[in-house]
Amino acid sequence: MTEKKIAVYPGSFDPLTNGHVDVIERALEIFDEVIVAVLHNPSKKALFSSQERVEMIKQSFNGLKPVEVDTFDGLLVDYAKIKNATAIIRGMRAVSDFENEFQMAMMNRKLHKDVQSVFLMTGLRWIFTSSSIIKEAAQFGGNISDMVPEPVKLKLMEKFPKLK
Ligand code: PNS
């Protein structure tokens, strides 16, 4: 029997965007299961708690796809090992993402040579979306409804009353 190919997709996901969803769907074309791993880092200032972020991701996929949602802390490669994942997925939007991603991938390889970093290009539609730019717009009532899944939009509306 061939072994299930598992990938970890780590990130802050504060909050999940349609760009992230696009990357997850692309990863599911290559891997049997994708574990969306939300970094739990209490010292990093975030809009949503890690539990809220996990809930929003779960609601967005609604158990329809082989997507597990979890939190992790400490080293990503240690988490990947525990989960039997053979790959780390990261989304790439523009060249500006490259330097930081390259550095992280090289460090992860140094720490654990058997886990591969796989970079997926987001769809052109999502090239300029990011959690931070969406939060910035939402805060001032900017319409972000086609950039995030519905459960995320509802949570953003709770945080930002100006958002309709
Ligand atoms: O969505 P983000 O904020 O770009 O995700 C960054 C993340 C969570 C992937 C990165 O900070 C991470 O892997 N943190 C865990 C700590 C770790 O393993 N560091 C060593 C590799 S640089």
Side-chain angles (χ1 to χ4, degrees):
M1 206 176 77
T2 52
E3 237 181 83
K4 208 159 97 167
K5 287 265 174 224
I6 303 170
V8 172
Y9 180 35
S12 305
F13 303 106
D14 185 41
L16 180 80
T17 69
N18 283 347
H20 295 131
V21 172
D22 179 86
V23 169
I24 295 166
E25 282 171 349
R26 287 171 199 278
L28 285 170
E29 289 179 24
I30 310 173
F31 296 94
D32 300 310
E33 186 186 331
V34 173
I35 303 170
V36 182
V38 176
L39 178 69
H40 176 68
N41 181 358
S43 61
K44 202 173 156 185
K45 215 175 148 270
L47 176 63
F48 295 103
S49 71
S50 47
Q51 220 32 57
E52 282 178 307
R53 288 179 258 161
V54 164
E55 271 316 304
M56 282 185 276
I57 303 170
K58 281 188 177 161
Q59 286 166 2
S60 302
F61 282 90
N62 211 6
L64 293 173
K65 303 226 161 109
V67 173
E68 183 188 320
V69 191
D70 194 10
T71 56
F72 80 103
D73 53 21
L75 280 182
L76 172 60
V77 289
D78 290 342
Y79 177 78
K81 256 191 262 184
I82 292 168
K83 289 293 193 175
N84 268 329
T86 50
I88 292 167
I89 304 287
R90 292 290 286 169
M92 279 273 199
R93 287 161 304 189
V95 181
S96 50
D97 282 340
F98 181 79
E99 203 167 332
N100 185 38
E101 293 301 331
F102 179 77
Q103 218 178 7
M104 275 202 291
M106 284 311 184
M107 178 55 94
N108 285 334
R109 181 181 286 171
K110 172 114 186 78
L111 297 171
H112 181 34
K113 67 175 176 38
D114 294 330
V115 69
Q116 303 302 329
S117 291
V118 174
F119 298 97
L120 295 173
M121 314 308 294
T122 46
L124 258 188
R125 263 188 92 182
W126 314 118
I127 222 89
F128 65 92
T129 54
S130 70
S131 301
S132 35
I133 204 95
I134 285 170
K135 280 183 286 189
E136 169 97 28
Q139 182 183 358
F140 300 110
N143 184 358
I144 45 76
S145 47
D146 60 350
M147 294 178 200
V148 292
E150 190 64 18
V152 175
K153 187 189 160 193
L154 296 176
K155 274 297 225 179
L156 281 169
M157 285 166 79
E158 275 176 30
K159 297 267 179 196
F160 302 124
K162 274 192 184 171
L163 192 62
K164 300 246 163 43

